[in-house]
Amino acid sequence: MLKKLFLMLMVLFSAASQAQSVFEVHLDTAPYRLEQAREQAAGLVLERLTGERTPWVQEEIVREWERYHRDERSTGGYRVAFIPDALLPLLQSAGLAVLTEPRPALLVWLIEQGQARSEADAAWQRAQQQYPMPLLWPLWDLQEHMDIDKQRLFDAGVLAGASGRYGAGHWLAVEAGQSRWHWQLFAAGEDSPLAGGEEDSPAGVLAAVNRHWIAAAAGREPPRPDNPRPAQALEPGQDGPGELTIVVSGLRQFADIVRLEQRLAELEGVGRALLLDSAGDQARIRLQLSASPEAVLRSLAGSGLTAQGERMYRWTGSQGE
């Protein structure tokens, strides 16, 4: 009973200390350049929400920084809060599994260099700040030291009784060696571990646990319908000097438009790609040119486009990405 009360107090304390949203990033030691801090923050929020750093999505967040963030501060390290209503449509339309829900509290049973640990050191504190999830630490009192065989930390059921005395629903068994961290994630009522592996740091362990929660939650949301064909098709219209306007169809979701703009802007002879308007699965895009229109037209096929007519294309760039 006392252990369950102790755990409840720890949960409340941990929840208060981890009230930081998954959309808020704090870098204790900020990079010298603001652009580097933004790139790191965008990568970290992607890992938290999707379990991976998708390069082109990270590039879009940094490129359109004002659209995706608010409350950026560089005092006491670097802090930034991302805007969920702007960020989530990008991630979801990119086909990424996204988890914004709080992660379950974990009771951590850690053996490091053969010794039981009952509190988080600096490395675990940094890892918990990177991947916000409540981490709870057992007392490792006389009963735990007598009942738990530290040589069989990963055997099914070895920690079930001790974790049950704390009332824990999930626990993490970790054995740290010289350079590798062997871990397994368990849940009450399950005979086998939910996940496990080896990492090179506490941050690596929590990143792997975070990926497990994201994968476990994947598929909860119903699939989003693709964009339909517009009732009235868009037309390229007239070009001004140094411009090339094209209409692209087959854009199924917001991520396709983002990816298309990136691809077009990277073409030799294109200074900038501007989205003029869109309707259904079509978009009208104006390219500002630094080369002849004929040269740019010849290179459009390499940007994931299939010609459908004069200045009319179909987007195929997301296939296989």
Side-chain angles (χ1 to χ4, degrees):
M1 184 65 183
L2 288 177
K3 287 186 177 180
K4 291 185 179 181
L5 179 61
F6 175 69
L7 185 73
M8 289 174 61
L9 293 174
M10 288 180 65
V11 169
L12 291 174
F13 176 77
S14 182
S17 64
Q18 291 299 315
Q20 167 187 331
S21 162
V22 291
F23 292 96
E24 298 174 9
V25 173
H26 177 205
L27 305 177
D28 285 325
T29 305
Y32 180 74
R33 295 177 59 237
L34 181 61
E35 293 79 5
Q36 291 176 323
R38 289 175 172 177
E39 185 176 348
Q40 286 188 23
L44 184 53
V45 81
L46 278 176
E47 283 193 14
R48 286 178 180 176
L49 295 171
T50 72
E52 57 184 292
R53 297 196 183 204
T54 307
W56 71 264
V57 176
Q58 184 175 356
E59 178 186 333
E60 160 66 9
I61 296 171
V62 175
R63 184 171 66 94
E64 298 290 340
W65 188 251
E66 295 303 320
R67 175 191 294 179
Y68 295 108
H69 95 286
R70 65 167 182 268
D71 192 26
E72 183 181 33
R73 289 174 289 168
S74 298
T75 56
Y78 173 80
R79 297 174 184 268
V80 65
F82 291 94
I83 304 172
D85 289 345
L87 192 59
L88 290 177
L90 171 64
L91 305 184
Q92 291 165 341
S93 68
L96 299 171
V98 178
L99 180 61
T100 63
E101 302 168 9
R103 279 52 170 171
L106 296 179
L107 184 64
V108 182
W109 298 95
L110 171 62
I111 302 294
E112 187 171 5
Q113 302 295 323
Q115 299 296 316
R117 294 285 300 274
S118 58
E119 61 182 357
D121 62 10
W124 280 97
Q125 291 171 2
R126 287 193 300 270
Q128 192 174 7
Q129 187 177 73
Q130 286 182 265
Y131 303 95
M133 61 182 74
L135 297 185
L136 317 172
W137 298 83
L139 295 174
W140 278 102
D141 60 13
L142 182 60
Q143 187 172 11
E144 263 69 67
H145 278 284
M146 292 177 63
D147 289 353
I148 295 175
D149 184 349
K150 299 180 182 62
Q151 303 302 315
R152 299 174 54 242
L153 200 62
F154 302 104
D155 289 1
V158 166
L159 294 174
S163 299
R165 289 193 286 271
Y166 285 91
H170 296 86
W171 58 93
L172 187 66
V174 183
E175 185 173 14
Q178 290 280 339
S179 59
R180 305 299 295 173
W181 298 69
H182 183 198
W183 66 275
Q184 285 187 351
L185 175 66
F186 295 87
E190 298 289 338
D191 295 330
S192 301
L194 302 180
E198 285 192 356
E199 300 295 336
D200 59 4
S201 66
V205 172
L206 293 193
V209 172
N210 186 57
R211 288 194 295 270
H212 166 77
W213 296 134
I214 294 169
R220 288 182 187 172
E221 294 187 3
R224 297 172 181 267
D226 291 343
N227 286 338
R229 292 183 179 179
Q232 183 172 356
L234 297 177
E235 297 291 337
Q238 298 297 316
D239 288 331
E243 296 177 347
L244 176 65
T245 306
I246 62 174
V247 171
V248 180
S249 61
L251 300 166
R252 298 178 296 112
Q253 46 201 354
F254 175 56
D256 289 339
I257 296 178
V258 171
R259 200 70 179 107
L260 174 61
E261 287 183 277
Q262 289 179 343
R263 293 274 188 87
L264 292 174
E266 292 169 356
L267 291 178
E268 186 175 355
V270 175
R272 191 177 179 189
L274 302 173
L275 176 66
L276 298 181
D277 50 17
S278 62
D281 73 336
Q282 290 189 332
R284 193 158 62 104
I285 297 176
R286 176 161 295 159
L287 307 179
Q288 296 179 347
L289 308 182
S290 59
S292 69
E294 293 76 17
V296 174
L297 284 169
R298 287 193 295 270
S299 64
L300 285 178
S303 60
L305 296 176
T306 300
Q308 302 285 295
E310 185 178 358
R311 292 188 290 153
M312 304 289 290
Y313 295 86
R314 185 164 187 83
W315 170 247
T316 58
S318 288
Q319 296 179 5
E321 289 190 354

